[in-house]
Amino acid sequence: MPPSTARLRTEAGLSILHRPTHTIVTSGGDIDTATAPVLRERLLGMLGAGMRLLILGLSRMSLCDVAGPTVCTEYLGRVPGPWRGRP
């Protein structure tokens, strides 16, 4: 399978689908203090790889404590762009 369409299943219940124009990350489990580090590592790794558009699908997520929004906020703070820092 070419890298542009590769799908990766991670230990935190994340499914990652890479496409030429975007990446879709779907959570199929809990995002809490135990699993947030895996999500953080994956998101920041994709940012470093030059990903331009991220779609974060949370419809299958069963639980999200404060660690989930914290990871998303940290990620957004590192994304370059004119809107950086806006809520």
Side-chain angles (χ1 to χ4, degrees):
M1 180 179 296
S4 62
T5 58
R7 184 179 291 271
L8 172 66
R9 191 87 176 141
T10 69
E11 56 274 16
L14 298 176
S15 175
I16 302 173
L17 178 62
H18 296 283
R19 297 287 186 190
T21 58
H22 61 279
T23 299
I24 301 170
V25 178
T26 305
S27 174
D30 299 346
I31 299 178
D32 55 19
T33 56
T35 59
V38 174
L39 177 61
R40 178 181 297 109
E41 176 185 323
R42 298 292 189 259
L43 292 179
L44 294 179
M46 288 185 282
L47 181 63
M51 181 198 55
R52 300 205 27 107
L53 175 63
L54 170 71
I55 299 167
L56 186 56
L58 304 176
S59 63
R60 296 183 319 163
M61 183 176 48
S62 55
L63 172 100
C64 182
D65 71 9
V66 70
T70 300
V71 168
C72 293
T73 302
E74 290 173 0
Y75 176 80
L76 286 174
R78 295 180 185 211
V79 174
W83 54 271
R84 183 177 173 181
R86 294 183 191 165

